[in-house]
Amino acid sequence: MVVNNKVDSLSYDVEAPPAQVPTTPAVVSAPPTPRGEAPAMTTTAAVELHKVSVPERRSTAKALRQRLAEVFFPDDPLHQFKNQSSARRLVLALQYFFPIFHWGSDYSLRLLRSDVGISYAKLANLPPIIGLYSSFVPPLIYSLLGSSRDLAVGPVSIASLVMGSMLRQAVSPDQEPILYLQLAFTSTFFAGVFQASLGFLRLGFIVDFLSKATLTGFMGGAAIIVSLQQLKGLLGIVHFTSQMGFVQVMHSVFKHHDEWAWQTILMGVAFLAVLLTTRHISARNPKLFWVSAAAPLTSVIISTIISFVSKAHGISVIGDLPKGLNPPSANMLTFSGSYVGLALNTGIMTGILSLTEGIAVGRTFASINNYQVDGNKEMMAIGVMNMAGSCASCYVTTGSFSRSAVNYSAGCKTAVSNIVMASAVLVTLLFLMPLFHYTPNVILSAIIITAVIGLIDVRGAARLWKVDKLDFLACMAAFLGVLLVSVQMGLAIAVGISLFKILLQVTRPNMVVKGVVPGTASYRSMAQYREAMRVPSFLVVGVESAIYFANSMYLGERIMRFLREEDERAAKCNQCPVRCIILDMSAVAAIDTSGLDALAELKKVLEKRNIELVLANPVGSVTERLYNSVVGKTFGSDRVFFSVAEAVAAAPHKTQP
């Protein structure tokens, strides 16, 4: 049997020349033996032992500074200011905080040609005009502060849905429209403050607690709830439930079947079929992206003409929409009263979701076009955008994947595309609003269903099942939580499962028994490499996680279980029991005092059984803490080895029965 073993080259800093140990025997490969049996050992070659180096000693202040820099400034944003004149630093600062100064100086007519290439307000139970307002001011602000060249901002379905569902449970948008608007604008302000604070304090890693799996389930369930909510407009129902659960919505649909309007159903189904067909065409042929991009506006125009000609018999229309620019709404922000807590919670929820979507979309297109997007700067840009928007009759906005995809496909190169979009909305607000009087509400429902149906990622869920069953369980829990309970509960389940998975990985780290791969000095997991062989009287255990207070007890318990299983196997095969346990720490990135104490305690327990515990290949930070503690003195330098192979080669004379 020929085994191809590829080993990456590693370099080590050695403080002193290695000591030669010519009399120390080395373990070499033996003929393959049946799995589970110990291989034969030969002693043919000397092994050179290497000293495990301790990193350069650092002061407490320096160590703390370096650690904080890694946590909050991993991208080293101040590097560009080094060795620069005061004038140049001012220019760089302007370019850093206002990216438009960076790309604006190189802007050309060619780029302008590239960049010139109804809203989700109904989801949030807001008047349609609020959606247009939210597509005017936020894009202008983002074009000044945003670092993404491709991101197109505006209202998005998920944030709109969450805001609508959370606020609607406490305040009816039909019975108390003014209070509902106040809470929507206040929630948007809180969302902006939360987002900008995360960016300013460089705490962007917080949004990463929403895993891809839980977001897949959450968005799939939310998409179904959104689609079911649109049955009100698609069927022409006047009285509809304010609840968001699947059961309650379907009960309301059939309870009010006498309100169904055949004219509305006919128009809705027809345009829904057209929109879904154009979406399918564009998905099959990306060059025809403009087909699905133009379909919503075309549908609005055609349906409006039909409604006008037929005088809207049996079809509900939008009605009069006010002309003019965004009215100020700063006076509608409320920071006192019984609903402030609701507005704060809604703002944080929608802020997290919109940040997650916006940054993910921005990074996706940045990777396609080979440039970087600063996540913390994006958070500040989106946060300032929402704070300003809340004072200009806008609700939560962020980067939209569908709009950004249209921008990318149309060849847009800079954030000027947002200015172009805002200009188009400006013209609409000033001159075209009367044209939307006869626009049927059913067409808005059809557009929303078409937009959100793409959030149901069945293939993504299938991939989760294939790759990681726990991720699939998290996905389905979030999906069912949204579908059967509420959007808020679904989001809470999604976050809870994500945190639980992190805690599970921290408290129960992966540990493996390792064996030597024939023909090499490399020790690998015996569960992964079936050709790996045990070394008699040795138990090699690999720890694939940091050792903290949360998992230090588990570490000892799991090693003792490995020891019991190995002794039982050796007794059954009439072989030597374990005399030395080698802990491979190459994957242990960090260790705290509880972890060090756990190692010391484990060493004492094993010594009572005449079993030696040695450590192999600790990384720099672990070595530093080990040698700076009493535990390090307990082990001594003769029990800490450069590699597992050297530990095996040096230990046999200590482990003879």
Side-chain angles (χ1 to χ4, degrees):
M1 179 179 68
V2 178
V3 181
N4 181 21
N5 300 289
K6 181 180 179 182
V7 181
D8 295 333
S9 61
L10 300 175
S11 60
Y12 299 87
D13 293 326
V14 182
E15 289 184 350
Q20 299 294 327
V21 189
T23 59
T24 304
V27 178
V28 297
S29 61
T33 58
R35 185 168 178 81
E37 296 184 6
M41 296 179 63
T42 59
T43 58
T44 60
V47 172
E48 181 179 300
L49 297 185
H50 298 79
K51 182 179 179 181
V52 177
S53 301
V54 181
E56 179 184 357
R57 186 175 297 276
R58 300 171 297 171
S59 65
T60 302
K62 183 178 180 180
L64 179 61
R65 184 169 63 252
Q66 291 178 348
R67 184 58 180 166
L68 292 177
E70 288 298 320
V71 173
F72 297 105
F73 301 96
D75 54 345
D76 192 13
L78 301 180
H79 177 74
Q80 59 181 327
F81 294 94
K82 294 180 180 178
N83 302 321
Q84 299 290 343
S85 64
S86 298
R88 180 59 181 165
R89 288 180 180 178
L90 177 60
V91 172
L92 291 174
L94 288 174
Q95 292 177 348
Y96 180 81
F97 291 106
F98 301 96
I100 191 173
F101 286 104
H102 179 69
W103 54 261
S105 58
D106 299 325
Y107 201 75
S108 64
L109 183 61
R110 178 181 59 83
L111 290 176
L112 178 61
R113 287 197 299 267
S114 300
D115 289 331
V116 179
I118 281 223
S119 71
Y120 289 110
K122 189 177 179 183
L123 278 179
N125 300 309
L126 294 168
I129 189 65
I130 301 297
L132 281 176
Y133 291 156
S134 302
S135 299
F136 173 53
V137 172
L140 292 177
I141 297 176
Y142 182 82
S143 64
L144 298 175
L145 302 176
S147 60
S148 173
R149 306 170 193 167
D150 302 280
L151 199 65
V153 301
V156 294
S157 56
I158 291 299
S160 302
L161 169 66
V162 172
M163 174 174 285
S165 62
M166 293 186 70
L167 295 182
R168 189 174 182 175
Q169 289 186 350
V171 178
S172 171
D174 300 319
Q175 299 176 3
E176 300 177 283
I178 302 300
L179 176 59
Y180 191 89
L181 271 179
Q182 288 178 331
L183 294 179
F185 295 148
T186 306
S187 299
T188 301
F189 179 82
F190 282 135
V193 171
F194 176 72
Q195 293 166 334
S197 299
L198 287 183
F200 180 76
L201 298 175
R202 306 189 69 83
L203 298 175
F205 56 85
I206 290 179
V207 301
D208 294 334
F209 280 101
L210 281 177
S211 68
K212 176 65 175 179
T214 53
L215 279 179
T216 298
F218 173 79
M219 291 192 294
I224 294 178
I225 290 296
V226 169
S227 301
L228 293 177
Q229 282 288 320
Q230 303 317 305
L231 291 177
K232 174 183 179 181
L234 206 63
L235 301 176
I237 299 176
V238 177
H239 303 90
F240 201 70
T241 180
S242 60
Q243 297 179 336
M244 305 293 290
F246 175 81
V247 176
Q248 295 89 337
V249 171
M250 295 307 299
H251 178 266
S252 181
V253 167
F254 290 104
K255 179 181 179 181
H256 300 100
H257 66 277
D258 55 323
E259 298 181 4
W260 295 9
W262 68 268
Q263 301 96 327
T264 301
I265 296 174
L266 180 62
M267 176 177 285
V269 171
F271 279 100
L272 182 60
V274 170
L275 290 168
L276 291 176
T277 301
T278 58
R279 182 186 181 91
H280 179 71
I281 292 173
S282 297
R284 294 290 298 271
N285 189 352
K287 293 182 178 180
L288 298 177
F289 74 92
W290 56 269
V291 174
S292 61
L297 180 59
T298 304
S299 299
V300 168
I301 295 173
I302 295 175
S303 64
T304 302
I305 294 174
I306 294 174
S307 178
F308 175 76
V309 172
S310 64
K311 302 303 180 184
H313 290 302
I315 299 177
S316 173
V317 297
I318 290 179
D320 293 330
L321 293 175
K323 292 187 351 181
L325 298 179
N326 300 34
S329 58
N331 61 320
M332 298 187 69
L333 301 180
T334 176
F335 303 109
S336 61
S338 57
Y339 293 109
V340 174
L342 173 64
L344 179 61
N345 292 335
T346 304
I348 293 176
M349 287 288 189
T350 55
I352 291 175
L353 285 175
S354 57
L355 270 186
T356 302
E357 180 172 357
I359 293 177
V361 172
R363 286 176 174 170
T364 298
F365 287 98
S367 63
I368 293 175
N369 292 323
N370 196 28
Y371 69 93
Q372 290 185 334
V373 169
D374 188 328
N376 290 293
K377 286 173 63 177
E378 286 294 285
M379 291 179 187
M380 287 191 287
I382 294 174
V384 172
M385 178 178 73
N386 281 316
M387 284 191 289
S390 67
C391 300
S393 299
C394 304
Y395 76 107
V396 174
T397 54
T398 188
S400 165
F401 184 83
S402 57
R403 292 186 184 92
S404 301
V406 171
N407 276 3
Y408 173 77
S409 301
C412 297
K413 303 296 184 183
T414 70
V416 168
S417 58
N418 282 291
I419 299 177
V420 173
M421 179 178 67
S423 301
V425 175
L426 174 63
V427 173
T428 302
L429 288 172
L430 293 178
F431 307 108
L432 304 181
M433 297 310 297
L435 300 179
F436 292 102
H437 176 88
Y438 284 97
T439 299
N441 283 312
V442 65
I443 197 63
L444 300 182
S445 297
I447 291 173
I448 290 173
I449 292 175
T450 306
V452 302
I453 202 170
L455 298 175
I456 305 175
D457 189 1
V458 178
R459 292 182 179 179
R463 286 193 297 269
L464 291 174
W465 170 260
K466 184 178 181 180
V467 176
D468 191 328
K469 302 298 188 293
L470 185 59
D471 270 351
F472 178 79
L473 177 63
C475 173
M476 294 307 299
F479 174 80
L480 295 175
V482 172
L483 199 62
L484 301 179
V485 185
S486 67
V487 174
Q488 301 95 295
M489 182 57 66
L491 183 60
I493 291 174
V495 175
I497 291 177
S498 297
L499 294 176
F500 173 75
K501 185 178 180 181
I502 294 173
L503 290 175
L504 188 64
Q505 292 173 341
V506 171
T507 58
R508 294 295 183 266
N510 190 41
M511 299 175 65
V512 296
V513 174
K514 293 187 173 185
V516 63
V517 178
T520 74
S522 180
Y523 285 75
R524 293 291 185 266
S525 168
M526 299 188 67
Q528 180 181 1
Y529 294 86
R530 300 189 64 83
E531 68 272 20
M533 298 182 296
R534 293 180 174 86
V535 179
S537 75
F538 285 89
L539 173 61
V540 182
V541 178
V543 183
E544 299 177 349
S545 171
I547 302 177
Y548 292 123
F549 64 92
N551 60 25
S552 58
M553 292 297 295
Y554 172 79
L555 175 74
E557 294 171 354
R558 193 68 182 89
I559 290 177
M560 296 305 294
R561 176 181 165 187
F562 280 140
L563 177 61
R564 184 185 72 246
E565 293 172 350
E566 190 65 18
D567 282 343
E568 291 175 353
R569 187 201 64 80
K572 184 177 181 181
C573 299
N574 195 25
Q575 295 175 349
C576 297
V578 173
R579 288 289 179 262
C580 180
I581 295 179
I582 302 174
L583 202 59
D584 184 0
M585 304 184 70
S586 57
V588 179
I591 190 169
D592 65 0
T593 53
S594 297
L596 292 171
D597 291 340
L599 291 180
E601 184 64 26
L602 178 63
K603 183 176 181 297
K604 292 179 182 178
V605 172
L606 293 174
E607 284 177 346
K608 293 179 180 179
R609 300 177 58 173
N610 294 321
I611 298 174
E612 189 162 11
L613 175 66
V614 299
L615 310 179
N617 197 18
V619 300
S621 60
V622 174
T623 304
E624 182 179 18
R625 293 195 176 186
L626 184 66
Y627 285 167
N628 288 339
S629 67
V630 178
V631 178
K633 298 178 181 179
T634 302
F635 276 88
S637 59
D638 60 334
R639 291 184 179 87
V640 181
F641 292 92
F642 187 75
S643 67
V644 175
E646 293 187 9
V648 171
H653 66 283
K654 304 175 185 175
T655 59
Q656 298 298 326

